[in-house]
Amino acid sequence: MKTKTILGISALFILFVVVLVTANFSVPVDASQNPASASLLVQITPTLIPDGLSEIGSTDGILIMGVVIVLITMVPVILRKNRN
């Protein structure tokens, strides 16, 4: 494959990861503007978290680790193809 093709495919995957990261960390606009609709999502009594355990359902660390793994694997490939 030509270098331009590989760089194009890599750029598409990187863009896809950036879109997923943005979607994960963005707050819905409707919930912030309309308190009545946001009240459905609010839990009245917080669930107690036992000491020493992580929050159940938290994917922030998993997402960040996935981005780091993608960068570790893609950057050397891109740099190697640019040298040749």
Side-chain angles (χ1 to χ4, degrees):
M1 291 179 105
K2 292 187 176 184
T3 305
K4 290 182 181 181
T5 306
I6 293 174
L7 288 176
I9 293 171
S10 299
L12 285 175
F13 280 115
I14 291 170
L15 181 66
F16 181 66
V17 168
V18 168
V19 167
L20 289 177
V21 167
T22 305
N24 187 41
F25 289 112
S26 66
V27 177
V29 176
D30 295 333
S32 63
Q33 291 179 352
N34 187 2
S37 66
S39 65
L40 296 174
L41 301 175
V42 176
Q43 185 177 359
I44 296 172
T45 56
T47 305
L48 296 176
I49 299 174
D51 292 335
L53 295 177
S54 64
E55 181 180 344
I56 297 173
S58 175
T59 58
D60 296 342
I62 296 170
L63 178 71
I64 292 170
M65 192 51 129
V67 171
V68 169
I69 290 171
V70 167
L71 288 175
I72 289 172
T73 56
M74 293 304 293
V75 169
V77 170
I78 292 171
L79 292 177
R80 183 174 182 203
K81 294 295 179 181
N82 283 340
R83 278 189 269 155
N84 292 337

